[in-house]
Amino acid sequence: MKKFLPLFPEQASTVANDVDLLFWFLMGVSAFFALLICVLVVGFAVRYRRRSEIEVPQPIHGSLALEVVWTVIPLGLTMVMFFWGAAVYFRLATPPPDAEEVTGVGKQWMWKFQHADGRREINELHVPVDRPVKIRLSSEDVIHSFYVPAFRVKQDALPGRYTMVWFEATRPGRYHLFCAEYCGTEHSKMIGSVVVMEPGEYQQWLAGAPPARSPAAAGEALFTELGCHTCHKSEGTALGPNLAGVLGSARKLKDGTMVTADEGYVRESILNPQVKIIEGFLPVMPIFQGRVTEEQVNDLIAYLKTLG
Ligand code: CUA
């Protein structure tokens, strides 16, 4: 089912056909019942019309068979929709472990991307064909939504937390990237392209730019520049927790609750450290909200990843 209708955008990702099949199933069921109900409304109106002034209708006292039929059939159909929809959703929500990682930041009114090697782009995203790509999204201001119709993926980018979207493009080309959440005056201009390239061509493209500082290196420099290292020491008594191996680990908070120190936790702990204090430490870390940009937070997270 390459191009079912000319109205549809082309299918250019591994999930596109799955999404379309589900969509067509929902459309088919809706159309079938809309038609059936129309035909029955008109048919019954004609068949059971009042034929004379003195006609008295036969009362109906219900039919168990009919009740069972119109309960069981819709139940079956909605269960198919539920499990099929859940299967497609889980596929969309679970990136393959070997996915290439890109960070994306939405901002009034542009998309900013950074590749793992440090290469930055605005309103354009270059990716290799036949490789899963995972984008960690955030926003610098309001809610935006990352939407690539040809890939059948759409994911909100929210201020204050990370979201994730992944896709595997199946053919080279240039595809529309839209912001699908009204985000202000120039929302309609918040558009760009995803450029899908053959692997060789992609490597060439990556190599073609002046060598960029990797996010991890930028994060390390920033870590020193902001003075983080003065409290987060790797040995001895320190004011802040040792950060080696923190990312992804389970941590115990002052009030006894356990948290997973994922990217969202780390982000919050940089921007607003008083919210969740690790057991055994004092709430002495300054607030970095407004002092570092979303991209700098991404750099710091990349640096933390290198600490193991
Ligand atoms: Cu960003 Cu609409």
Side-chain angles (χ1 to χ4, degrees), residues 3-16:
K3 224 169 184 189
F4 200 86
L5 269 183
L7 286 173
F8 264 58
E10 62 181 308
Q11 299 177 333
S13 82
T14 50
V15 296

Side-chain angles (χ1 to χ4, degrees), residues 12-23 26 82-97 99 132-137 146-156 163-169:
S13 82
T14 50
V15 296
N17 201 43
D18 290 9
V19 173
D20 285 2
L21 286 177
L22 176 62
F23 179 80
L26 297 175
F82 174 76
F83 285 107
W84 189 350
V88 173
Y89 173 78
F90 281 121
R91 194 163 171 215
L92 287 168
T94 319
V133 175
K134 169 176 143 184
I135 307 174
R136 183 155 50 76
L137 291 167
F146 176 95
Y147 180 34
V148 185
F151 298 167
R152 309 292 192 274
V153 294
K154 187 196 276 175
Q155 174 62 55
D156 280 8
T163 53
M164 186 282 304
V165 60
W166 80 273
F167 56 80
E168 182 176 332

Side-chain angles (χ1 to χ4, degrees), residues 107 109 111 142-145 179-184 187-188 190:
K107 180 186 178 222
W109 286 276
W111 290 107
V142 298
I143 301 176
H144 304 277
S145 190
C179 175
E181 181 65 52
Y182 181 67
C183 56
H187 156 71
S188 61
M190 191 164 162

Side-chain angles (χ1 to χ4, degrees), residues 161-235:
R161 81 169 73 160
Y162 290 125
T163 53
M164 186 282 304
V165 60
W166 80 273
F167 56 80
E168 182 176 332
T170 49
R171 41 185 159 147
R174 181 176 277 272
Y175 302 99
H176 284 298
L177 161 64
F178 295 111
C179 175
E181 181 65 52
Y182 181 67
C183 56
T185 321
E186 285 174 43
H187 156 71
S188 61
K189 292 184 193 159
M190 191 164 162
I191 46 180
S193 334
V194 178
V195 183
V196 178
M197 304 169 108
E198 296 288 356
E201 210 188 338
Y202 177 67
Q203 287 311 325
Q204 234 173 9
W205 175 83
L206 275 180
R213 195 155 61 151
S214 75
E220 185 173 9
L222 192 63
F223 194 77
T224 311
E225 199 182 306
L226 294 170
C228 313
H229 64 296
T230 55
C231 294
H232 294 286
K233 287 181 197 153
S234 47
E235 70 284 310

